[in-house]
Amino acid sequence: MEHLIIVIGRQLGSGGRIVARKLAERFGCKFYDREILNLAAKESGFCEKFFERNDENKGFFKALYHLHLPHITDGNFYANKFSEESLFQFQSDAIRHAAAEGNCVFVGRAADYVLRDVPETINIFITADMEERIKRVMERHQCDKPTARKIIHEKESERAKFYNYYTGKQWGNASSYDICVNSTKLGIDGTVEMLTHFIEESRK
């Protein structure tokens, strides 16, 4: 198969990351979720901790004072390159470089927008019924139902602010994606099979 880039947007607890990894295995693609933060850190010279704090979160600088200057290179800092916008730019550059090197699956990080001019990109959004999402978050965080619901609300609010700010679009809006799927309907494996068929047909 010729150059293939798959971008997965996902609601928290939808199983989107699992679907993304299975698609990466199915098509022999490199998988990038938090891995892209490490690449961005290497390319920028900043400590990965900064990218972790800013990860899909537009309110990064509210946490800045919990970190210390030795975590970043003095040259970059005093060149005034350190800002939320510059971190997003470094991350975007890392995404573009990874995409140029071969077949990839990216999870989140506004990669659909970053790669908007790459014609080989297939953009997918994964959702799921709220009760199933709550159940997954409860299992992941070992918490009760109200806490899981709060985690979903807070994390998705951060993702939406991050995505909307940097892209000028609305996170989760169907017009931003080639296909939107509710993983509850077919289950994780069924969703992977359906998306595999969609990707194969779209590449013909």
Side-chain angles (χ1 to χ4, degrees), residues 58-128:
K58 185 57 185 72
F60 165 65
F61 275 90
K62 67 186 178 184
L64 176 61
Y65 294 106
H66 294 292
L67 300 174
H68 303 288
L69 290 182
H71 283 302
I72 60 177
T73 60
D74 291 342
N76 275 342
F77 183 81
Y78 290 111
N80 295 319
K81 293 182 180 178
F82 183 61
S83 67
E84 289 185 356
E85 283 69 24
S86 63
L87 290 179
F88 179 74
Q89 187 60 54
F90 286 130
Q91 182 173 284
S92 298
D93 289 344
I95 290 171
R96 281 189 286 266
H97 292 165
E101 290 179 354
N103 297 346
C104 300
V105 174
F106 295 100
V107 178
R109 279 108 199 154
D112 62 300
Y113 177 77
V114 173
L115 300 174
R116 62 193 180 280
D117 295 324
V118 179
E120 300 87 358
T121 304
I122 295 177
N123 295 308
I124 299 168
F125 192 83
I126 308 293
T127 183

Side-chain angles (χ1 to χ4, degrees), residues 146-186:
T147 301
R149 190 182 293 274
K150 181 179 179 182
I151 290 172
I152 289 172
H153 175 75
E154 291 179 349
K155 182 61 177 177
E156 292 201 337
S157 177
E158 291 174 0
R159 282 182 184 173
K161 288 177 183 177
F162 175 90
Y163 183 91
N164 297 352
Y165 178 84
Y166 287 112
T167 70
K169 301 192 295 181
Q170 184 176 1
W171 179 76
N173 189 303
S175 63
S176 296
Y177 310 95
D178 298 307
I179 185 171
C180 300
V181 183
N182 184 331
S183 64
T184 301
K185 304 305 180 184
L186 297 176

Side-chain angles (χ1 to χ4, degrees), residues 13-32:
S14 66
R17 187 178 189 277
I18 302 171
V19 170
R21 186 173 286 280
K22 286 179 176 288
L23 287 174
E25 294 171 356
R26 181 70 60 91
F27 288 101
C29 298
K30 288 187 177 180
F31 176 80
Y32 293 101

